Amino acid sequence: VTAGVEAVFEIGGEAIPRLMERIEERMGLLARGYGPALARHAGDTISAGGKRLRPLLVCLAAGVPPPENDDLVRAAVAVELVHGATLVHDDVLDGSALRRGRPTVVAAGGRRLATATGDLLFSRAFAELADGSYAPAAVRVLSAAASELALGELMQRADAWDASIGVERYLERCRLKTAVLFRAACVLGALAGGGSSERTLGAFGERVGVAFQILDDVLDVTGPPERTGKPRGADLLDGTATLPLIVARELDPSLAELDLRSVRTAADAQSVCERIEATGALSAARERALALVASGKEVLPALPERQQTALALVADGVVERYA
Ligand code: IPE
Ligand code: IPE
Ligand code: MG
Ligand code: MG
């Protein structure tokens, strides 16, 4: 996203870096403001970085240049805290040891601490929105997204070790676990900007969000770990069939027979990743994501021109990260 972000700053002006700075400060404050036991892990989760893609979407959905008001900051902070909470809990569910190149909260402090840290981040997010001018509507939007996220994570656990799931079910899972939060970021931005384009912006966010998850799943297969901050084939190791494998199974009968439970070591995962790659399934998955990004961009003409340009840059940035 980085290259595109600079171009976004050029179009959106100084307001964007100023807002991103305020958002960063506010998140740090909220994460640390609930006693030392949680502060360290919640604070580390926030300060470990991350691309801040969702806060950027909140800003741009509010307008380009965005209005520098507290409601916008609150919305962006809330969305990113929900994202952080989800990741902390996701790493418990996925048994992941690395996140953003660092040990996950569950790896560093165990399940109880990771559960509590995620809970704290969730609750801080909603408190942040509750104090804003758009409180009931904004809380409703984010709450619906967080609930769907939970459904998405449950769906993934329900499908664990089943390599035979179809594309439709996979896409629905991507929508639930990832795209609904992109949608919420755009809708909350629209609210904070006082505009009337919630539907357009929501549709844009959802399509780009599904594409984002597909590309993340492609990256899990391609690695390399230095780039992704997690081991290659991590999804396979926790029994998650994603689009690359779903497509590859149709192209290579030996992969169609693969029992995910037989993938036990990093070396096993690596070799399955290579077999998936050999089928050409990664290009097919990328194409699918590109088509979704294009369909997201199709709704943009309903928006003011500078906003169209900025959002299109972000959408392209999502793809470039994986080029
Ligand atoms: C990771 O999201 C989880 C997915 C939805 C694939 P990001 O890639 O936006 O995570 P950070 O915040 O930049 O680390
Ligand atoms: C994304 O799921 C996290 C959520 C949206 C809950 P993944 O499990 O695919 O993401 P990573 O690979 O852990 O970042
Ligand atoms: Mg995960
Ligand atoms: Mg997961």
Side-chain angles (χ1 to χ4, degrees):
V1 181
T2 331
V5 164
E6 272 162 33
V8 170
F9 284 7
E10 270 171 41
I11 294 166
E14 286 295 299
I16 295 178
R18 274 199 302 266
L19 279 164
M20 295 303 280
E21 185 68 36
R22 276 173 70 184
I23 293 162
E24 214 56 39
E25 261 171 39
R26 181 84 190 140
M27 280 199 297
L29 203 74
L30 291 174
R32 289 186 180 84
Y34 236 79
L38 290 166
R40 194 181 123 217
H41 292 277
D44 282 357
T45 299
I46 299 303
S47 64
K51 297 176 290 296
R52 306 299 193 235
L53 184 54
R54 296 159 191 79
L56 182 62
L57 281 175
V58 174
C59 291
L60 299 178
V64 178
E68 295 182 69
N69 64 46
D70 285 350
D71 284 311
L72 178 49
V73 173
R74 280 183 195 286
V77 163
V79 169
E80 189 68 4
L81 289 177
V82 164
H83 170 57
T86 308
L87 294 182
V88 172
H89 283 173
D90 179 69
D91 291 332
V92 175
L93 294 168
D94 294 352
S96 305
L98 276 183
R99 161 81 54 196
R100 297 165 173 166
R102 299 197 197 179
T104 55
V105 180
V106 62
R111 284 182 81 95
R112 287 182 201 175
L113 191 69
T115 305
T117 301
D119 289 348
L120 175 84
L121 293 171
F122 270 121
S123 67
R124 298 284 75 204
F126 289 102
E128 187 65 357
L129 281 185
D131 290 334
S133 328
Y134 298 91
V139 172
R140 222 175 281 125
V141 168
L142 192 61
S143 166
S147 308
E148 292 204 293
L149 257 156
L151 284 177
E153 288 283 69
L154 272 185
M155 185 172 177
Q156 184 161 316
R157 282 351 290 167
D159 288 348
W161 313 109
D162 181 359
S164 70
I165 64 152
V167 174
E168 287 311 312
R169 188 164 169 93
Y170 164 81
L171 289 173
E172 174 63 2
R173 186 215 288 163
C174 291
R175 189 184 74 76
L176 290 169
K177 76 172 194 172
T178 306
V180 292
L181 194 57
F182 277 64
R183 167 187 276 279
C186 291
V187 172
L188 291 175
L191 278 178
S196 57
S197 308
E198 280 165 50
R199 286 172 73 92
T200 300
L201 287 159
F204 168 80
E206 185 165 318
R207 292 171 196 186
V208 171
V210 174
F212 185 79
Q213 183 62 50
I214 293 176
L215 291 167
D216 189 75
D217 292 342
V218 169
L219 214 52
D220 191 90
V221 177
T222 59
E226 307 82 63
R227 180 162 167 211
T228 61
K230 56 188 178 181
R232 202 173 162 197
D235 288 336
L236 292 166
L237 285 167
D238 75 33
T240 305
T242 62
L243 191 57
L245 178 62
I246 295 168
V247 174
R249 280 167 46 95
E250 285 165 17
L251 300 168
D252 175 351
S254 79
L255 277 173
E257 280 162 23
L258 175 78
D259 179 353
L260 283 175
R261 289 185 196 276
S262 70
V263 185
R264 290 201 189 86
T265 65
D268 296 342
Q270 164 101 11
S271 110
V272 176
C273 287
E274 280 158 13
R275 285 164 63 197
I276 292 173
E277 197 163 10
T279 65
L282 294 177
S283 322
R286 274 195 207 96
E287 299 275 305
R288 186 120 200 175
L290 284 174
L292 277 158
V293 166
S295 89
K297 283 159 74 174
E298 269 167 26
V299 307
L300 294 177
L303 303 170
E305 205 167 313
R306 271 207 283 184
Q307 193 175 28
Q308 285 183 41
T309 312
L311 288 170
L313 277 168
V314 173
D316 290 336
V318 161
V319 177
E320 264 160 40
R321 175 176 168 232
Y322 303 89

